[in-house]
Amino acid sequence: EAGVVQSPRYKIIEKKQPVAFWCNPISGHNTLYWYRQNLGQGPELLIRYENEEAVDDSQLPKDRFSAERLKGVDSTLKIQPAELGDSAVYLCASRHRDTDTQYFGPGTRLTVL
Amino acid sequence: SQQGEEDPQALSIQEGENATMNCSYKTSINNLQWYRQNSGRGLVHLILIRSNEREKHSGRLRVTLDTSKKSSSLLITASRAADTASYFCAKAEGANSKLTFGKGITLSVRP
């Protein structure tokens, strides 16, 4: 079974530029999560989707961050414009409705210069 | 905020020794999960223990949960160099079992 796929793996941009991350969850997993992990810290939830509906986006900085999960499968997370403090690893995870286990992708390491 | 606090922050042991990592939390939980993260990689789920369970085993892993003390321990027996990684405890709370991660424990196993 294929795991959670994320791309790109690495991204370097200058501040004020836009950036987008893509996630393909495990087939059949209806719940999708985006986390941000700062260096030396654990992941922090940005947004959770149940199918195509964003049901918890309380931690998403909505002035510059946006996300979508069209058709309830793949998801994209966008930052526009990026700031220096956005440098982090952005992790996507998915979960099947019958389990509490979340499966994580390898993450996208974003560096904002 | 991160409420899954792990202890110690870093641990260095010799291959073959046991590694014990602790996690404390502040609020009621549905379950507590331990994850491993190798450098530059995503998180890998290790084990889940529910709030009504006290101990679980999975291979060389043993996790305990003491809800009265709001703490959990992860024991890795007969450690291997490949166990070198960061370990995170994550509390699942609320109706949707939202996960809150701690800062992680860095484990180094010397060959």
Side-chain angles (χ1 to χ4, degrees):
Chain A
E1 177 183 270
V4 176
V5 179
Q6 290 188 248
S7 69
R9 290 295 313 279
Y10 304 91
K11 189 72 176 179
I12 301 174
I13 61 172
E14 294 188 345
K15 63 181 181 183
K16 300 185 181 180
Q17 294 299 306
V19 64
F21 314 124
W22 176 80
C23 172
N24 179 240
I26 293 173
S27 178
H29 285 198
N30 59 306
T31 306
L32 183 146
Y33 307 82
W34 282 103
Y35 289 88
R36 177 170 58 190
Q37 185 178 21
N38 292 311
L39 188 65
Q41 304 290 316
E44 294 184 315
L45 180 68
L46 292 174
I47 189 168
R48 174 172 67 93
Y49 281 92
E50 295 290 345
N51 300 305
E52 68 275 7
E53 182 181 1
V55 295
D56 183 357
D57 62 355
S58 57
Q59 302 301 312
L60 190 72
K62 298 181 182 62
D63 57 336
R64 297 182 300 106
F65 286 65
S66 64
E68 61 181 11
R69 191 184 183 197
L70 300 176
K71 301 181 181 179
V73 181
D74 295 1
S75 177
T76 56
L77 177 68
K78 299 178 181 177
I79 308 175
Q80 183 172 10
E83 297 179 353
L84 296 177
D86 296 331
S87 294
V89 175
Y90 291 83
L91 295 163
C92 178
S94 69
R95 179 179 65 86
H96 190 276
R97 63 172 59 86
D98 293 340
T99 177
D100 288 325
T101 300
Q102 295 184 24
Y103 294 86
F104 283 79
T108 297
R109 181 176 297 276
L110 173 67
T111 302
V112 182
L113 302 175
Chain B
S1 64
Q2 297 184 317
Q3 296 192 36
E5 299 300 329
E6 294 104 336
D7 171 68
Q9 291 186 339
L11 181 61
S12 181
I13 59 174
Q14 198 73 32
E15 199 166 31
E17 294 179 339
N18 296 340
T20 299
M21 292 169 271
N22 304 298
C23 171
S24 63
Y25 56 94
K26 298 178 182 177
T27 59
S28 297
I29 59 173
N30 299 333
N31 62 71
L32 189 142
Q33 304 179 34
W34 286 89
Y35 286 79
R36 183 187 72 224
Q37 185 176 37
N38 290 86
S39 180
R41 307 291 292 273
L43 280 79
V44 174
H45 183 264
L46 296 177
I47 197 165
L48 179 154
I49 187 165
R50 302 195 182 281
S51 59
N52 61 353
E53 297 175 315
R54 292 297 168 259
E55 185 172 317
K56 282 189 80 170
H57 297 255
S58 177
R60 293 184 297 113
L61 305 180
R62 172 178 169 257
V63 66
T64 61
L65 180 65
D66 187 334
T67 53
S68 66
K69 296 181 179 179
K70 290 187 167 57
S71 66
S72 174
S73 290
L74 173 67
L75 169 68
I76 303 175
T77 59
S79 64
R80 304 166 182 170
D83 294 329
T84 295
S86 293
Y87 291 80
F88 294 89
C89 78
K91 303 179 305 104
E93 53 190 340
N96 298 301
S97 290
K98 176 179 178 179
L99 286 184
T100 303
F101 288 83
K103 294 183 178 182
I105 297 170
T106 302
L107 173 65
S108 298
V109 181
R110 303 186 301 275

